[in-house]
Amino acid sequence: MNNRAEVLENLGNYGAADFTVRKESLMIRNELEEQIDTIDSHIALVREDNNTPLSVVGRNYNPVNHPDAFKTAENVIMLSDLDIEGITRDVGCSHNGARAYATYTLPNHRVNLGREGDDVALTISARNSFDGS
């Protein structure tokens, strides 16, 4: 078997979750004074690849990009004593990318639930969001 880091690296990219976000200031138009004021308490998180706003969060919020969150989960898997030969990863997003998940299936960790062909494999799920969910 390849070394554990190589096995996880060979899972490929993160598909729809493979983008970064940036912080943008929020502003409000004060029509009475005919000026634009900055909102100091909050910021918007915006996708870098398509400029889609994903959420409004407190100014001190530090987003973790989806690939970085999933790499943390993969590091935990790598450091475990689980048999990761044949591991697969399914990645998906919802809410324009504000939420993402990665599900890792470890086929060498199977349990039969009592009937022929009624096997389940160990799965590990990782989730990340930019909207506080």
Side-chain angles (χ1 to χ4, degrees):
M1 181 169 90
N2 298 331
N3 78 39
R4 297 174 73 77
E6 191 175 314
V7 168
L8 293 168
E9 286 174 18
N10 288 336
L11 292 175
N13 67 29
Y14 295 96
D18 203 358
F19 63 88
T20 58
V21 297
R22 69 176 182 273
K23 297 178 178 181
E24 290 284 340
S25 296
L26 294 175
M27 298 180 197
I28 189 168
R29 190 162 114 183
N30 183 334
E31 291 185 16
L32 293 176
E33 297 178 20
E34 295 182 5
Q35 67 184 29
I36 296 177
D37 296 323
T38 301
I39 299 173
D40 293 327
S41 61
H42 288 77
I43 56 166
L45 297 180
V46 178
R47 286 181 65 147
E48 288 276 8
D49 60 343
N50 62 17
N51 292 318
T52 300
L54 299 177
S55 67
V56 174
V57 296
R59 176 158 295 286
N60 295 325
Y61 181 81
N62 289 312
V64 175
N65 289 305
H66 299 318
D68 295 330
F70 301 150
K71 286 175 188 169
T72 298
E74 290 165 16
N75 191 47
V76 171
I77 293 169
M78 184 179 66
L79 295 173
S80 75
D81 61 357
L82 294 167
D83 182 346
I84 63 171
E85 187 174 354
I87 189 172
T88 60
R89 177 183 61 213
D90 177 43
V91 177
C93 287
S94 66
H95 298 81
N96 294 320
R99 301 175 189 175
Y101 67 85
T103 303
Y104 302 86
T105 302
L106 292 89
N108 293 333
H109 293 275
R110 290 185 131 359
V111 174
N112 182 280
L113 299 178
R115 288 185 265 168
E116 174 93 21
D118 204 4
D119 291 352
V120 294
L122 173 66
T123 60
I124 298 170
S125 296
R127 293 178 23 157
N128 191 48
S129 74
F130 299 118
D131 65 2
S133 62

